[in-house]
């Protein structure tokens, strides 16, 4: 039926099986019939149909009816798709956030870097806060590009959970990851991150090249415009002139942020 593009009829059959799922005497028969719906080739056909027409309700209903198996087929199709096809699949994936989480989690824990990055960006585009714990798995990924994608996705979904995750990222061992977290904290207006940002510029680490990181922190502090930053910035601005162009620039940035705070 699917090969003949009878998606609506197959969806109606899936709905009937759902209705009969607990009926006495047919539980085993229904379970056997539902197993047919999880056949990879059937689900792949549904995904391909949705790439061409995201309004194909029958194909969507078939995928939704099989839960995680449908989500896995959609994500596999998404990873192999063109950008245009991915855009077509996004409205189909969004209502299936609950089913997507375990599949995405497996990819983030064991998939390759390209797949992990694409999945993180997908979860961020869906914009569901309940996906934040899954996105947070990518903060421990070995590739800093995947970690950066995760931070951007977290910042796109504001709320208490995202604030906590951004604060965690600001304490990451990798300076580049902290730099991205500082940038996104400023862009997202996360004033709760100010103490963590101040800690970065207040601590001098002779063994870490963190010039670009500190520059990003000053930019975010200027954007966040929090009076909480004044004491630390004042101390930095009054430090004796250190040797080197970079140190002078950092002191200049501290003074500039102070002036912007004073101007209100």
């Amino acid at each position: 039926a699917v090969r003949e593009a009878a998606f609506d009829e197959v969806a109606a059959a899936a709905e009937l099986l759902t209705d009969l799922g607990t009926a006495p005497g047919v539980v085993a028969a229904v379970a056997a019939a539902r197993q047919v719906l999880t056949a990879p080739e059937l689900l792949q056909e549904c995904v391909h149909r949705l790439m061409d027409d995201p309004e194909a309700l029958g194909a969507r209903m078939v995928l939704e009816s099989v839960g995680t198996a449908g989500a896995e087929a959609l994500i596999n199709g998404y990873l192999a798709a063109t950008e245009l096809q991915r855009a077509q699949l996004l409205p189909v994936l969004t209502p299936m956030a609950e089913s997507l989480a375990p599949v995405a989690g497996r990819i983030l824990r064991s998939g390759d870097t390209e797949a992990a990055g694409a999945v993180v960006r997908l979860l961020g585009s869906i914009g569901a806060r309940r996906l934040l714990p899954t996105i947070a798995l990518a903060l421990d990924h070995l590739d800093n590009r995947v970690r950066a994608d995760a931070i951007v996705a977290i910042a796109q979904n504001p709320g208490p959970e995202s604030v906590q995750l951004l604060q965690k990222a600001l304490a990451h061992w990798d300076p580049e990851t902290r730099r991205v977290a500082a940038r996104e904290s400023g862009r997202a207006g996360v004033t709760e991150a100010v103490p963590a940002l101040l800690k970065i510029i207040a601590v001098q680490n002779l063994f870490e090249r963190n010039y670009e990181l500190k520059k990003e922190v000053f930019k975010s502090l200027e954007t966040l415009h929090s009076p909480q930053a004044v004491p630390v910035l004042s101390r930095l601005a009054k430090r004796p002139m250190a040797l080197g162009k970079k140190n002078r620039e950092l002191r200049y940035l501290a003074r500039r942020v102070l002036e912007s705070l004073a101007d209100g």
Side-chain angles (χ1 to χ4, degrees):
V2 167
R3 281 195 293 270
E4 295 299 325
F7 294 100
D8 292 340
E9 289 77 1
V10 174
E15 188 175 10
L16 176 63
L17 291 174
T18 299
D19 294 340
L20 293 174
T22 57
V26 296
V27 173
V30 167
R34 285 182 63 82
Q35 190 64 31
V36 175
L37 291 172
T38 64
E41 59 272 19
L42 182 151
L43 299 178
Q44 188 178 44
E45 288 286 347
C46 291
V47 173
H48 287 161
R49 169 66 171 162
L50 288 164
M51 286 180 181
D52 296 329
D53 179 14
E55 300 299 323
L57 183 59
R60 181 185 296 200
M61 288 178 63
V62 172
L63 292 166
E64 291 179 352
S65 71
V66 293
T68 302
E72 188 162 8
L74 273 168
I75 286 185
N76 288 339
Y78 181 90
L79 292 176
T82 65
E83 288 302 318
L84 177 60
Q85 290 171 328
R86 287 181 176 184
Q88 294 279 73
L89 289 177
L90 185 58
V92 181
L93 287 155
T94 299
M96 296 183 65
E98 294 290 345
S99 300
L100 293 176
V103 180
R106 287 199 298 271
I107 293 173
L108 293 177
R109 284 188 290 265
S110 60
D112 60 40
T113 296
E114 185 177 349
V119 165
V120 167
R121 293 190 294 274
L122 166 64
L123 298 183
S125 298
I126 289 173
R129 289 186 185 177
R130 59 186 178 275
L131 291 174
L132 282 174
T134 305
I135 297 172
L137 295 173
L139 292 176
D140 297 320
H141 200 279
L142 293 177
D143 194 285
N144 67 342
R145 292 168 298 177
V146 176
R147 297 196 297 270
D149 287 334
I151 292 167
V152 172
I154 290 166
Q156 287 173 345
N157 294 276
E161 302 91 344
S162 63
V163 169
Q164 292 177 1
L165 291 171
L166 285 172
Q167 290 171 329
K168 176 184 176 182
L170 285 168
H172 198 274
W173 58 266
D174 174 38
E176 177 59 21
T177 298
R178 296 207 302 279
R179 188 189 70 78
V180 176
R183 182 192 69 201
E184 295 304 315
S185 295
R187 286 181 177 177
V190 183
T191 54
E192 297 90 339
V194 168
L197 292 169
L198 293 173
K199 185 176 180 180
I200 292 173
I201 58 174
V203 174
Q204 287 185 307
N205 188 341
L206 298 177
F207 302 100
E208 181 178 86
R209 296 179 180 177
N210 54 13
Y211 169 68
E212 294 298 331
L213 165 61
K214 288 187 174 181
K215 280 179 61 178
E216 200 69 64
V217 169
F218 282 120
K219 290 178 186 177
S220 289
L221 288 172
E222 188 169 15
T223 300
L224 295 171
H225 211 72
S226 171
Q228 191 177 1
V230 170
V232 173
L233 291 171
S234 296
R235 288 197 298 271
L236 292 173
K238 293 175 183 177
R239 276 181 182 172
M241 182 68 73
L243 294 176
K245 179 181 177 182
K246 291 182 179 179
N247 288 319
R248 290 195 297 271
E249 183 177 359
L250 292 175
R251 193 172 77 159
Y252 163 76
L253 291 173
R255 289 176 173 174
R256 190 179 74 179
V257 178
L258 271 175
E259 290 172 0
S260 71
L261 287 168
D263 292 339

